[in-house]
Amino acid sequence: MGANKNSIKIIGDQTDNYAQGYFVYDSKKSGSMTTSHLRFGPSPIRSTYLITRASFVACHNFSFLEKMNVLEAAMPGAVFLLNTPYSAAEVWDKLPKTTQEELLRKKIEFYVIDGYKVAREAGMGTRINTIMQTCFFAISGVLPRDEAIAQIKKAIYKTYGKRGEAVVAKNYAAVDAALAHLEKVELPAAASSGFDIVGVISSKAPKFVHDVLGEIAAGRGRPDSGERDPGRRRLSHGHGAVGEAQHSAVRPGVGSGFVHPVRQVCYGLPSCSDSRQSLQRRIGRQVPGNLQVGPSPSGAAWKRSVTRCRWLLKIAPVARFAWKHAR
């Protein structure tokens, strides 16, 4: 993620392009999947949604190909950069059938690099971020190659300089070696793989686990126009499994014209106009009599609620201390 942040800064500072970056990652970032959504172009960027049509897709972990369709958001004619231990001559037979079909159907330019091998030879262990960043600038042509490498090294010194000259020198060596290991894959005429994406949840799992939790775990939603449940809000997300509360009306201009909803795990969020009876039918159990489901509270009532919450937050540490020592 740090290298992608540097890429946005380089593009925004060294070119006439506007730039935008948004990063989606788990609450426990270490060891989990991170998805970087980067935009840049000659016009101001006012997009407030995740990218669903990408002209460049990079996958830094080869095992992701077996779990999800990483090329689902790729546009026709896009570029795909894959970090893989296999060479350009070997990698085609190692790809799932879905990935092969996406590459052929969309006529994607396919590049591979063994980033971990380059990192090991440079003494960087498994850190491949600057290696993949160098490949991105070399393939995309946003900046002339020599200028891009100079700017990457400048960003490396700014980011890692405080860790010592040895760390900076290793990153410099990795950048210089990256392009020598970058290969373009010539696509064959047809898909030939004997296996496909296996998914993250077994097909033998219960229907709810497979259809709902499985979709969440895979980082995607089930396409749905919202017509079957027009009054209910939904959690919608794109690549990277980040959500936003959105009404059933599809916002124009988002991706290919639909949102990817995932149902709330327990039940849909009721609108302010729902009656207590309709809410009871929706969640399938009795609603407490003191639960407010009518119109929104008045300004005075809202102010009293906020004041009460602030008071509770203030006394919480004192109450916790008293309870601890009372025991």
Side-chain angles (χ1 to χ4, degrees):
M1 191 173 77
N4 283 325
K5 286 184 177 180
N6 285 337
S7 297
I8 285 293
K9 293 176 183 177
I10 291 172
I11 294 171
D13 294 341
Q14 303 301 322
T15 71
D16 294 330
N17 290 317
Y18 294 85
Q20 179 196 74
Y22 184 80
F23 306 93
V24 181
Y25 46 89
D26 192 76
S27 57
K28 184 182 182 301
K29 184 177 181 297
S30 177
S32 63
M33 184 177 71
T34 299
T35 305
S36 302
H37 296 260
L38 311 180
R39 289 184 174 96
F40 55 90
S43 303
I45 299 172
R46 297 185 176 89
S47 302
T48 56
Y49 47 87
L50 300 182
I51 295 173
T52 56
R53 290 175 56 82
S55 58
F56 184 96
V57 178
C59 179
H60 295 196
N61 192 323
F62 187 78
S63 65
F64 288 162
L65 297 179
E66 301 174 356
K67 301 176 182 178
M68 61 190 71
N69 181 7
V70 298
L71 294 176
E72 182 180 10
M75 298 172 60
V79 176
F80 179 42
L81 172 62
L82 175 64
N83 175 41
T84 172
Y86 305 107
S87 67
E90 302 170 324
V91 71
W92 182 257
D93 293 330
K94 310 297 182 182
L95 301 177
K97 188 174 182 180
T98 297
T99 304
Q100 291 182 348
E101 291 173 345
E102 291 274 20
L103 287 166
L104 295 172
R105 180 171 61 85
K106 297 180 179 180
K107 299 180 180 179
I108 294 173
E109 288 186 38
F110 185 19
Y111 293 85
V112 296
I113 183 172
D114 189 349
Y116 291 117
K117 179 181 178 182
V118 177
R120 286 194 302 268
E121 292 176 353
M124 292 177 57
T126 59
R127 297 173 179 85
I128 63 171
N129 54 350
T130 54
I131 297 167
M132 303 300 287
Q133 179 190 25
T134 304
C135 294
F136 161 72
F137 276 105
I139 296 171
S140 64
V142 179
L143 286 172
R145 182 170 296 189
D146 294 339
E147 183 180 351
I149 291 176
Q151 292 298 329
I152 290 171
K153 290 184 175 180
K154 183 178 177 181
I156 287 172
Y157 185 81
K158 184 177 180 180
T159 304
Y160 303 110
K162 59 185 177 182
R163 300 188 182 181
E165 291 296 329
V167 175
V168 174
K170 290 177 182 179
N171 278 272
Y172 284 176
V175 169
D176 293 334
L179 299 184
H181 291 77
L182 182 64
E183 300 178 280
K184 184 175 182 180
V185 180
E186 298 298 331
L187 302 182
S192 57
S193 180
F195 67 99
D196 208 348
I197 297 172
V198 296
V200 295
I201 301 293
S202 171
S203 58
K204 298 180 181 179
K207 180 176 177 59
F208 175 81
V209 174
H210 183 271
D211 294 348
V212 179
L213 300 185
E215 294 297 291
I216 296 173
R220 63 176 182 270
R222 177 169 47 83
D224 187 351
S225 65
E227 293 178 357
R228 290 176 297 175
D229 200 4
R232 193 176 290 191
R233 293 185 183 182
R234 48 192 44 80
L235 187 69
S236 59
H237 70 89
H239 280 300
V242 67
E244 61 176 351
Q246 181 169 310
H247 290 286
S248 57
V250 177
R251 183 171 39 184
V254 178
S256 55
F258 57 82
V259 296
H260 299 270
V262 173
R263 298 292 179 200
Q264 294 288 76
V265 175
C266 294
Y267 47 84
L269 297 174
S271 64
C272 293
S273 60
D274 278 352
S275 65
R276 179 171 284 103
Q277 290 75 19
S278 65
L279 182 57
Q280 288 176 174
R281 288 195 302 271
R282 176 171 296 180
I283 67 177
R285 63 173 181 262
Q286 190 70 22
V287 177
N290 61 351
L291 179 64
Q292 181 177 359
V293 294
S296 300
S298 64
W302 178 257
K303 187 175 181 180
R304 286 195 300 272
S305 299
V306 172
T307 303
R308 191 177 298 116
C309 289
R310 288 176 178 170
W311 180 79
L312 290 173
L313 289 174
K314 287 181 180 180
I315 69 168
V318 179
R320 191 183 304 115
F321 178 82
W323 173 256
K324 180 179 179 181
H325 288 273
R327 290 186 298 172

